Amino acid sequence: MKIGIATAVAAGTLFAGLVFAAVVNASRADKDAGNWLFHGRTYDEQRFSPLEQVKASNVGKLGLAWTYKLDIDRGVEATPIIVDGVMYVTGAYSIVSALDAATGKELWKFDPKVPKDKDRDGCCDAVNRGVALSNGKVYVGAYDGRLIALNAKTGAVIWEADTVLDHSRSYTVTGAPRVVKGKVLIGNGGAELGVRGYLTAYDAETGKQAWRFFTVPGDPALPPEDKAMEMARKTWFGDQYWKFGGGGTVWDSMAYDPELDLLYVGVGNGSPWNRKLRSEGKGDNLFLSSIVALRPDTGEYVWHYQTTPGETWDFTATQHIILADLDIGGTKRKVLMQAPKNGFFYVLDRATGALISADSYVPVTWAKRVDIKTGRPEQTVEGDWTGGAKLVFPGPAGGHNWQPMSYDPQTGLVYIPAQEAPAFYPPDDSQRWTSKGNWHLGAAPLALPETLKELTGVQSLYKGHLIAWDPVAKKEIWRQNYDQIWNGGTLATAGNLVFQGTADGRFVAYSADKGVKLWETSANTGVMAGPVSYSVNGEQYIAVAAGWGGAYPLALGAMGAAKVRAEARVLAFKLGGTATLPPPQNSLVALPEPPATPLDAKAVDRGRIAYNSHCGMCHGPSAIGGGVLPDLRYLTPEKHQIIAGIVAGAYAQKGMPAFMDVLKMDDIEDIHQYLIQRARDLKRDLANNGATAPAVK
Ligand code: CA
């Protein structure tokens, strides 16, 4: 590999002192405490750092070592990878930065130039959860579905592969690739919009496709792709599922056990959510909401465990998977642990997929319990919303979402960024597959209460927790409570510490055994991603990619997220660090005077339905923004003048896709009337309540 002269000069003398990763493998990660080589540090994804220079007795002396501004102030979900003094981290729209891990100095940056209006194909912001590194190459999944291999020294593209099965469907990539036995593994997102899920393996050197494992069956007129699909097809009914896509996207979690040679994959929710539409209201619908074990060489199916048979709540099992060896009932068991969205903490035998335990870690109303013998949940009448709208615990935000949990083998505890976030599911049985870029849930568009007073009542149902869970005793040992949900992933370290960023803009250290808060600092932004620890030149660093956005701030920002600033920045800390955090840039904006246009009540009501069907997923239901994308009640007089042009695509490359395929000029006028009404509602509420206006940009 050659380093371009310009790049080498730009990187200064730094290259001289750095040895870039030659071969990254699991055994090295175990020994190599100073690096963070894999998404979860090691193949078992424990997110436990053996470093102990920073410990409970001195964590109070932790200070900022450096910061690095990421380009786009949208959702930041990346776990940095650190190898021999270089950090590789991603921001929104899959932009990769290589940094000097001791100083934060940029060595190179790679922008895959994802079209900004690609956003319409995603449910949950143009996020990226990080890169994989192997044999001198950095692998990134771009939001538009490309898998790209880069030269780790220069950022130059080595190869690109298109992971998208069907470009007439809304496929995205947000997850971090994993590299196992010379193959790069990547799945996709898009189940809210109607896609068929799968995992694909590519040769790490050439980018040639090695195998593809489908997670749900396709068109029944065609033969099943393999034995697993032959088995799965028997659990699906009717002729709608394959038209909708079926879902089951593999958008986040994977883990690997080299001894058993098993790759574990977390599978997502159904397309559409509503099983009544998807599968005539019956059938387990394999492999939705399942953990599937595969052979990494061939993609061959070995076993599966389905957490939510017949999934109908957006209960993904894509949440972080951790492998550990636990003493259970006097026997050493090789287990797999997951706290998926559905609210139960699962411990499985990872050799066989047999269920060991499943216990609720947050309030759950969709099921009474999980039967250990059959491995199946006992579902409740209260949880079935397909015959009529119901409030269900948890909702689509989950008892735990993608924010990674960690496991400390010293305390034996799992640290879960948990939350209570119920949802009101209103069914819509009339929905059929339409076209790419549109949501297909089999549920009516989410609407939130429309006054600040009503909203406060619903907000009070939302609670965030950090839970320390004992997977052997099957119970909570300690917890920290937060006012908001959507707090950050966790890191456990050998210094008896647990680190977590918070939705309310802090970065905090707790004692791992007792949960005592030992240190905190401001992050100037909501923090969601999982922190990491590494060492360079004998100094231990704790780092996190901070930044706010994603599903909750976009779709449910009104539940409190709007108070949070969104500033994308990598923060690295060390003992005695003296760097300063730049002051927050994004400020509160006063509500512009709404236009005096006369409003027609019928048009406002039509606009309410059209807005919540097509606009609310990103700009917030009931036109209440979440502080990341524009709150449309705050449109300026100039924007009010050009609103039809904006909907037609004038701002497509600023991230606002065109919607003229689904909205006519009359619809846009109705939506505009609704937005003016909502601006007037807010003006009235602010005057009556003296309430604080949400942060908008
Ligand atoms: Ca989903």
Side-chain angles (χ1 to χ4, degrees), residues 284-342:
D284 285 353
N285 293 184
L286 293 174
F287 296 99
L288 295 183
S289 307
S290 300
I291 295 159
V292 182
L294 305 173
R295 291 288 172 213
D297 290 328
T298 57
E300 182 199 350
Y301 164 93
V302 180
W303 60 255
H304 78 275
Y305 176 79
Q306 189 173 37
T307 62
T308 312
E311 193 294 299
T312 205
W313 301 267
D314 188 20
F315 283 166
T316 61
T318 50
Q319 281 56 53
H320 185 196
I321 291 169
I322 289 179
L323 313 182
D325 295 345
L326 301 182
D327 274 312
I328 296 177
T331 311
K332 193 82 140 178
R333 302 286 296 268
K334 289 177 181 298
V335 311
L336 177 156
M337 300 184 280
Q338 192 190 49
K341 276 190 187 178
N342 77 11

Side-chain angles (χ1 to χ4, degrees), residues 640-689:
H640 278 290
Q641 295 291 329
I642 59 166
I643 191 165
I646 295 172
V647 177
Y651 287 178
Q653 287 318 312
K654 290 183 176 179
M656 168 62 198
F659 276 85
M660 298 313 284
D661 59 323
V662 285
L663 294 176
K664 298 184 176 67
M665 288 307 288
D666 286 352
D667 300 321
I668 298 170
E669 180 51 33
D670 291 346
I671 290 171
H672 193 197
Q673 292 241 335
Y674 173 65
L675 292 175
I676 294 170
Q677 180 62 54
R678 295 297 289 137
R680 291 180 190 172
D681 293 346
L682 178 61
K683 187 185 170 191
R684 178 204 61 214
D685 281 355
L686 292 173
N688 289 349
N689 302 333

Side-chain angles (χ1 to χ4, degrees), residues 123-124 190-192 249 251 268-270 273 314-316 318 341 396 441:
C123 66
C124 308
E192 270 59 52
T249 46
W251 56 264
N269 59 276
W273 290 355
D314 188 20
F315 283 166
T316 61
T318 50
K341 276 190 187 178
L441 304 180

Side-chain angles (χ1 to χ4, degrees), residues 470-487:
D470 184 332
V472 176
K474 303 183 286 183
K475 63 176 189 185
E476 180 181 314
I477 301 301
W478 58 257
R479 72 159 60 190
Q480 285 282 345
N481 294 317
Y482 301 116
D483 290 341
Q484 291 214 36
I485 69 164
W486 220 247
N487 297 286

Side-chain angles (χ1 to χ4, degrees), residues 63-278:
L64 203 53
W66 54 263
T67 67
Y68 172 78
K69 184 75 184 74
L70 295 163
D71 285 357
I72 300 173
D73 291 331
R74 299 270 299 263
V76 178
E77 302 188 354
T79 297
I81 300 290
I82 297 98
V83 180
D84 298 339
V86 180
M87 174 186 288
Y88 303 90
V89 65
T90 59
Y93 290 101
S94 336
I95 297 173
V96 185
S97 298
L99 309 174
D100 178 338
T103 65
K105 184 181 172 183
E106 185 181 290
L107 305 178
W108 55 258
K109 185 159 71 177
F110 170 73
D111 182 350
K113 302 229 179 328
V114 172
K116 292 290 184 291
D117 59 351
K118 179 64 185 171
D119 231 6
R120 199 173 151 189
D121 285 328
C123 66
C124 308
D125 210 349
V127 297
N128 186 280
R129 289 184 208 88
V131 301
L133 198 84
S134 179
N135 201 22
K137 295 183 190 65
V138 174
Y139 302 94
V140 63
Y143 192 60
D144 55 15
R146 286 172 292 157
L147 177 67
I148 305 171
L150 304 172
N151 181 320
K153 286 185 189 170
T154 65
V157 174
I158 296 173
W159 56 257
E160 265 189 28
D162 182 7
T163 75
V164 175
L165 172 72
D166 176 356
H167 282 279
S168 72
R169 295 279 179 160
S170 290
Y171 283 102
T172 55
V173 175
T174 58
R178 310 296 206 277
V179 182
V180 174
K181 297 174 85 179
K183 292 186 174 63
V184 192
L185 308 160
I186 190 76
N188 299 82
E192 270 59 52
L193 294 99
V195 301
R196 182 185 182 195
Y198 53 88
L199 176 76
T200 320
Y202 296 88
D203 182 286
E205 292 305 314
T206 65
K208 186 169 179 281
Q209 183 174 322
W211 52 260
R212 175 166 283 168
F213 178 82
F214 285 99
T215 55
V216 298
D219 182 349
L222 302 171
E225 286 84 358
D226 51 35
K227 286 207 170 107
M229 281 303 96
E230 201 177 315
M231 168 171 69
R233 190 172 276 183
K234 294 176 186 136
T235 67
W236 293 73
F237 295 89
D239 63 355
Q240 288 301 306
Y241 69 85
W242 63 276
K243 293 177 183 164
F244 277 110
T249 46
V250 180
W251 56 264
D252 194 37
S253 64
M254 285 179 248
Y256 174 60
D257 182 332
E259 199 181 317
L260 295 170
D261 193 31
L262 288 176
L263 170 72
Y264 305 100
V265 178
V267 181
N269 59 276
S271 262
W273 290 355
N274 188 341
R275 186 176 63 165
K276 208 164 153 187
L277 268 72
R278 193 178 67 229

